[in-house]
Amino acid sequence: MAHLTVDIGGKPGVNCRGFCEYCYFKHVKEVPPFGCRHCPPYRVGCDYCSRSVREYYQGWKSLRQVGEETLATLQMMTGDVERVTISGGGDPSCYPEFTDLIELLAGMEVPLHIGYTSGKGFDDVGIADFLIDHGLAEVSFTVFSVDPSKRKRYMHDPTPDVSLKILERLCGEIEVYGAAVVLPGINDGKALEETCQWLDDRGAKGLILMRFANRTDQGLILGNSPVIKGQPVQSPQEFQEMVTDLAKQFNMKISGTPLWDPAICSPFAIRNEPDLLDKLPLLQRRATVITGSIAAPAIQAILDARGGGVNVIGTRKEIACLITADDLNALDLAEMESLVVIPGRAFVHDREAERILTADGNDRTVLRGPEMLTADAETSMGMTREGVLLIELEGFSGLIAVINRYGQDSP
Ligand code: SF4
């Protein structure tokens, strides 16, 4: 069984009826490529870190192009297609040939999934039944707020009442995961409770809350900070507490990104699972592990539980996957062991990382760790606790294997 992703192209903001106020792509600048795990050894920059990361599309793909690409992908796939996901840089609800696209994909007679939509492009309530009748089984729908005036003001949705009616109809029939970037003072507090209640009453499967970021250290790496001048931001702890409180109050699943999924206790649920921790290999050598400031304490605790000898250093960047060369440059090399493991997905070229982390003249081996050590809430939303724990078991086993193979012998 296989999943087919249908990419319809589109530029964030441009192909969304204008930028939402909080859109991270709003101020994205032409920055030089960062370098990443996909780059060839002698060149900084590849398609991923220079184009995909900023969802750099020319515009919508024509229906004909989408059809041809889908056919080509299908021909290369083995096994039956289990489900089809529509994705792209722009908002699918704004795709000019949206109904034709759905009719085309419905012909495959497998469940359809819209990976993300804000619903801003839907102006007719009838689209909900059209989608249900054509096999839409799951959608992630940015609600932001169930107060139409807030949707209008902050998402620039020209027909917020219609969008909410569509969302309501879909909630009653298919799997709907709501999403909302939380802007303190605007859609949090009482307004957010109302949004949760509204979704819960209508049968949404879950709501994923996204902590708003407004600074480079919070994760804006494309020269795009601040997204909203003067907009307050929650600390990771405040955000986590808000998610925990809301999750207790409502039946549907409520989780937050970059942290926290209260139903699974992730990220890093394995921290509180002594039996599973015992299944991880014991650490036999020393090393330094670099990660984001949010993950550092949890990774340190897990590695300490397997014998210790590893110092985990949190960068000023909060999120490990968004670490760039600037974050490595700001670290104190005096604390580094002879093996330094950087996050698998860090946006820095291997050679650049090595140059920065040996700039004090000490020889060090710099390696990338596993792609994932845990699942963020966007990943864990549709997963079981066992699935997340498995990702963590594999991730930490991989990290410990790297340290045991290339690390420094303990004195
Ligand atoms: S719909 Fe999404 S991608 Fe488009 S402007 Fe709003 S936040 Fe950005």
Side-chain angles (χ1 to χ4, degrees):
M1 291 292 189
H3 289 182
L4 173 71
T5 300
V6 174
D7 184 346
I8 58 175
K11 275 187 176 180
V14 177
N15 296 122
C16 307
R17 289 188 154 177
F19 281 106
C20 300
E21 289 292 312
Y22 52 80
C23 181
Y24 295 145
F25 295 99
K26 196 164 68 169
H27 301 307
V28 166
K29 307 225 171 34
E30 286 294 327
V31 291
F34 296 109
C36 70
R37 66 194 189 282
H38 301 298
C39 290
Y42 295 101
R43 200 182 69 224
V44 178
C46 62
D47 191 57
Y48 181 73
C49 65
S50 51
R51 292 170 62 86
S52 301
V53 66
R54 71 181 80 158
E55 308 228 6
Y56 193 95
Y57 294 92
Q58 291 303 327
W60 293 122
K61 295 178 183 176
S62 67
L63 186 61
R64 186 192 172 97
Q65 188 184 352
V66 173
E68 285 171 359
E69 287 178 6
T70 304
L71 200 60
T73 313
L74 275 173
Q75 281 166 351
M76 284 168 36
M77 286 171 80
T78 50
D80 294 337
V81 177
E82 194 183 37
R83 77 172 190 174
V84 176
T85 299
I86 301 168
S87 83
D91 181 337
S93 71
C94 303
Y95 185 65
E97 297 165 280
F98 183 75
T99 50
D100 293 339
L101 172 76
I102 296 295
E103 276 170 352
L104 182 82
L105 297 177
M108 295 171 65
E109 296 186 347
V110 289
L112 300 181
H113 171 204
I114 297 180
Y116 160 80
T117 184
S118 70
K120 276 157 74 170
F122 296 144
D123 292 333
D124 174 3
V125 180
I127 195 79
D129 282 311
F130 172 84
L131 286 168
I132 295 161
D133 293 345
H134 285 79
L136 185 69
E138 185 182 326
V139 63
S140 300
F141 198 115
T142 293
V143 55
F144 185 69
S145 170
V146 289
D147 176 346
S149 67
K150 289 192 201 290
R151 270 187 72 91
K152 191 165 201 144
R153 163 76 180 79
Y154 290 96
M155 294 177 68
H156 304 292
D157 181 352
T159 53
D161 293 293
V162 172
S163 305
L164 290 169
K165 282 208 178 86
I166 292 166
L167 176 59
E168 181 169 23
R169 175 84 183 106
L170 294 176
C171 279
E173 292 290 333
I174 65 166
E175 292 199 357
V176 173
Y177 293 95
V181 172
V182 180
L183 296 182
I186 293 165
N187 66 340
D188 65 339
K190 208 100 217 82
L192 185 52
E193 282 177 24
E194 279 164 22
T195 298
C196 292
Q197 190 69 61
W198 189 99
L199 287 167
D200 212 21
D201 290 347
R202 283 154 183 81
K205 289 282 280 186
L207 172 65
I208 184 155
L209 299 170
M210 297 165 180
R211 176 177 166 243
F212 178 64
N214 217 16
R215 295 196 315 251
T216 309
D217 62 307
Q218 292 163 343
L220 302 178
I221 60 171
L222 296 167
N224 49 340
S225 64
V227 174
I228 305 175
K229 239 189 186 153
Q231 170 61 42
V233 173
Q234 291 163 299
S235 70
Q237 198 183 344
E238 284 168 341
F239 182 76
Q240 180 170 358
E241 283 165 10
M242 177 194 75
V243 173
T244 307
D245 281 354
L246 290 169
K248 276 190 208 143
Q249 289 179 50
F250 300 97
N251 295 318
M252 66 178 171
K253 174 163 175 159
I254 297 180
S255 58
T257 185
L259 75 169
W260 147 257
D261 186 330
I264 295 179
C265 294
S266 55
F268 305 114
I270 198 170
R271 216 176 350 174
N272 305 313
E273 294 289 333
D275 290 351
L276 286 181
L277 282 176
D278 280 349
K279 289 194 172 27
L280 290 173
L282 281 168
L283 281 158
Q284 289 155 357
R285 289 185 159 159
R286 301 206 322 263
T288 293
V289 169
I290 295 176
T291 186
S293 59
I294 292 179
I299 296 177
Q300 184 74 69
I302 293 166
L303 294 179
D304 283 351
R306 298 316 290 150
V310 175
N311 66 328
V312 179
I313 297 179
T315 57
R316 63 187 170 190
K317 182 72 50 61
E318 291 176 346
I319 298 163
C321 302
L322 296 170
I323 284 175
T324 64
D326 287 346
D327 300 308
L328 299 187
N329 265 318
L331 296 175
D332 180 2
L333 297 186
E335 296 179 48
M336 306 275 169
E337 300 279 359
S338 65
L339 169 67
V340 184
V341 184
I342 63 170
R345 293 185 182 178
F347 279 114
V348 54
H349 191 268
D350 290 350
R351 280 166 45 118
E352 176 77 340
E354 194 175 300
R355 187 191 62 72
I356 295 169
L357 296 170
T358 55
D360 58 355
N362 285 327
D363 256 0
R364 290 188 185 92
T365 304
V366 178
L367 295 174
R368 279 178 195 275
E371 285 246 326
M372 289 166 86
L373 288 178
T374 185
D376 68 1
E378 275 174 277
T379 312
S380 70
M381 182 50 99
M383 291 179 72
T384 60
R385 182 170 160 75
E386 287 66 34
V388 172
L389 286 167
L390 190 63
I391 288 179
E392 295 183 353
L393 256 182
E394 284 173 358
F396 278 93
S397 298
L399 176 62
I400 293 172
V402 169
I403 296 169
N404 284 348
R405 181 148 186 216
Y406 300 101
Q408 197 173 324
D409 281 325
S410 294

